[in-house]
Amino acid sequence: MRPVGHLAAVAKFLDHLGVALREMGEYDLAQEQFLESKAIFSELDAKSALLFASNHLAGIAMVKGQIEESIEQFQQVIAMARELGDRRALAYNSLDLGEILYSMLESDGHDDETIVRRSAAVDLISQSLAIFQEIGEPFGAVLAQAQLAAVQYTTDFLAGEKGYFQALKTALEIKSHRLVNETLLTYANSLRIAGNVTDALEILGCVLQNA
């Protein structure tokens, strides 16, 4: 039997290798490394490391279009974050899961499944926003504010506009050029979905000029 320290080192190496392969676009190979890494961390009962390995698996499944698998992995990560009391991980992973559920919505859908998914997305993103504000994480708060605005925009134009304004206000307050642009891009996408292509293109032009 290999020593625990050796196993932990192997798992960390596989995790880092998976990240590198993911950045290279080798998603299948990356997923294999993350699966092996997760299995070892699970064997070692290394819960914090297991959380991050599961997060990587959730992300790679999303990139590969394995939506149901990604949802299942994010749900596991959220449960682990709650168990560990890791508020930051809970917030970011709740936001990620909320974004996935939002991406599955029909913009004008009113069927039961769409309504349930929209409600779940709003709940998850709202929870993440509350945690980010509670722990003093403005970067995450802006991401959550913008994503919440995107979901709200599909059913309540004024609430969505207000949400985007608050996200931009926070991004400007913390002087994050990146977050300002990301928020504007999300807003432009909402305008496009709503059929306001002219304003969407105007905002995209502003982002490109300030990139």
Side-chain angles (χ1 to χ4, degrees):
M1 182 177 178
R2 290 177 293 182
V4 170
H6 176 74
L7 284 173
V10 169
K12 288 178 183 177
F13 170 77
L14 290 171
D15 192 63
H16 289 309
L17 178 59
V19 171
L21 288 167
R22 181 189 64 195
E23 296 304 311
M24 294 167 60
E26 298 287 348
Y27 301 129
D28 289 338
L29 289 174
Q31 192 171 43
E32 290 177 14
Q33 312 315 310
F34 292 142
L35 282 168
E36 290 188 41
S37 173
K38 181 179 179 180
I40 296 173
F41 285 135
S42 181
E43 179 184 340
L44 296 174
D45 198 27
K47 293 182 179 179
S48 292
L50 182 59
L51 186 154
F52 285 103
S54 298
N55 170 270
H56 289 153
L57 274 173
I60 206 74
M62 182 171 61
V63 170
K64 291 180 65 178
Q66 299 168 342
I67 303 301
E68 295 302 327
E69 173 66 19
S70 183
I71 289 173
E72 183 179 336
Q73 289 289 344
F74 273 121
Q75 288 172 335
Q76 290 179 18
V77 176
I78 288 168
M80 283 187 275
R82 282 202 181 98
E83 181 183 350
L84 292 169
D86 189 333
R87 304 283 285 164
R88 188 172 184 274
L90 176 59
Y92 274 107
N93 284 281
S94 294
L95 175 58
D96 286 341
L97 181 54
E99 288 179 350
I100 292 175
L101 294 177
Y102 165 65
S103 73
M104 298 170 71
L105 295 177
E106 293 290 340
S107 60
D108 58 351
H110 298 286
D111 58 281
D112 290 344
E113 185 177 0
T114 297
I115 291 170
V116 168
R117 277 182 176 160
R118 182 180 289 112
S119 177
V122 168
D123 287 346
L124 284 162
I125 298 167
S126 297
Q127 289 168 22
S128 73
L129 175 57
I131 295 172
F132 285 134
Q133 292 173 332
E134 177 188 325
I135 66 176
E137 180 96 2
F139 185 91
V142 173
L143 294 176
Q145 286 167 340
Q147 194 58 56
L148 183 59
V151 180
Q152 291 171 327
Y153 209 93
T154 61
T155 57
D156 188 338
F157 166 79
L158 290 178
E161 289 280 325
K162 183 179 178 181
Y164 278 124
F165 174 79
Q166 185 57 54
L168 282 170
K169 182 173 178 288
T170 305
L172 288 168
E173 285 173 353
I174 64 175
K175 298 179 175 150
S176 174
H177 182 71
R178 172 188 167 188
L179 284 177
V180 169
N181 281 346
E182 287 188 8
T183 301
L184 287 172
L185 287 173
T186 306
Y187 180 41
N189 189 52
S190 288
L191 290 170
R192 179 192 62 79
I193 292 171
N196 195 343
V197 177
T198 301
D199 285 350
L201 288 173
E202 184 178 345
I203 290 172
L204 285 174
C206 291
V207 172
L208 288 173
Q209 286 178 356
N210 294 307

